[in-house]
Amino acid sequence: RRMIDRVSVAMGIEKGEYAQRIFPVAGNHDVDRDTLTDVDIEDANLKTAKDIDKLNELFISDEEEAHQRKERVLTRSEPYCDFVRELWNKPKLTNDEVLWYHTSAPIIGSTGEFHVVGLNSAWLCHSHWVARMKGTDQEKEGEITSHLTLCEAMVDKCFKEVSKEDDLIISLMHHDYGRTRDENSGIKHQLERSCDFILSGHENN
């Protein structure tokens, strides 16, 4: 937070503008991967993360069981969510609304708007169960990274109200497609069709 404050001062961003001008996205170091027991991992659906329909169901199902499983997964990102809620001064935001979001503002001198879509590629980041697969056939088959996804249901939700006419649309995510299962998915096609810029990080170069 001290770093953000210092950079903001240098850029002339007031603290009251953070929610409109600072757009964080969660990365792998923002997930506490050791907080789930083996039973929790099974319940949270991490062992069946390769089933994209089951993952989407966590967010679109009205059933209490699905809601509880989703919350077990997202609890691992709770400290990060608390940080963003405090940074933006929006204490009532849910974890969903912090980890996947769409925000917009008018473009000065234009009739269009500036849209930022923040996506979460890290929500299924390596659990300690996955880490124990190192050196096994499952790792050789891509288990370590292939379970990561931006989540179709949440990407659809973020883009539901984004218009393309005269608008500038930027998507932000921590992992690039090469590190997720979305390399050849409908998510990639949707983002490339809808966005003017797609920005990712993680490489640390």
Side-chain angles (χ1 to χ4, degrees), residues 70-89:
K70 179 195 72 175
E71 287 306 309
R72 286 181 188 234
V73 179
L74 298 189
T75 294
R76 305 186 309 153
S77 300
E78 190 72 39
Y80 169 82
C81 292
D82 287 341
F83 173 80
V84 175
R85 280 188 278 263
E86 192 274 335
L87 180 74
W88 282 350
N89 192 26

Side-chain angles (χ1 to χ4, degrees), residues 126-190:
H126 307 180
S127 65
H128 66 274
W129 177 83
V130 175
R132 287 204 300 271
M133 296 300 103
K134 286 187 176 181
T136 68
D137 290 339
Q138 285 168 292
E139 181 191 36
K140 295 172 186 176
E141 293 172 2
E143 185 75 18
I144 292 298
T145 57
S146 64
H147 68 297
L148 295 180
T149 176
L150 295 165
C151 186
E152 289 180 346
M154 297 305 285
V155 171
D156 288 343
K157 181 178 179 180
C158 286
F159 277 92
K160 191 173 182 179
E161 298 179 2
V162 176
S163 171
K164 184 64 176 173
E165 278 187 42
D166 298 323
D167 290 354
L168 178 67
I169 302 173
I170 299 175
S171 282
L172 308 176
M173 54 192 180
H174 183 75
H175 300 93
D176 62 41
Y177 293 128
R179 294 185 178 274
T180 74
R181 72 173 67 172
D182 304 321
E183 177 68 37
N184 297 304
S185 73
I187 291 177
K188 178 180 179 180
H189 300 316
Q190 178 175 0

Side-chain angles (χ1 to χ4, degrees), residues 12-58:
I13 300 175
E14 302 290 337
K15 288 187 177 180
E17 300 177 305
Y18 280 8
Q20 293 77 42
R21 300 186 64 183
I22 297 177
F23 311 108
V25 289
N28 45 294
H29 290 286
D30 297 310
V31 178
D32 188 348
R33 288 166 274 179
D34 294 321
T35 57
L36 297 179
T37 67
D38 287 341
V39 173
D40 290 334
I41 291 167
E42 182 71 46
D43 289 345
N45 225 19
L46 290 180
K47 282 189 176 180
T48 56
K50 62 183 179 180
D51 189 329
I52 200 72
D53 290 332
K54 288 186 178 180
L55 293 181
N56 286 328
E57 187 178 312
L58 294 179

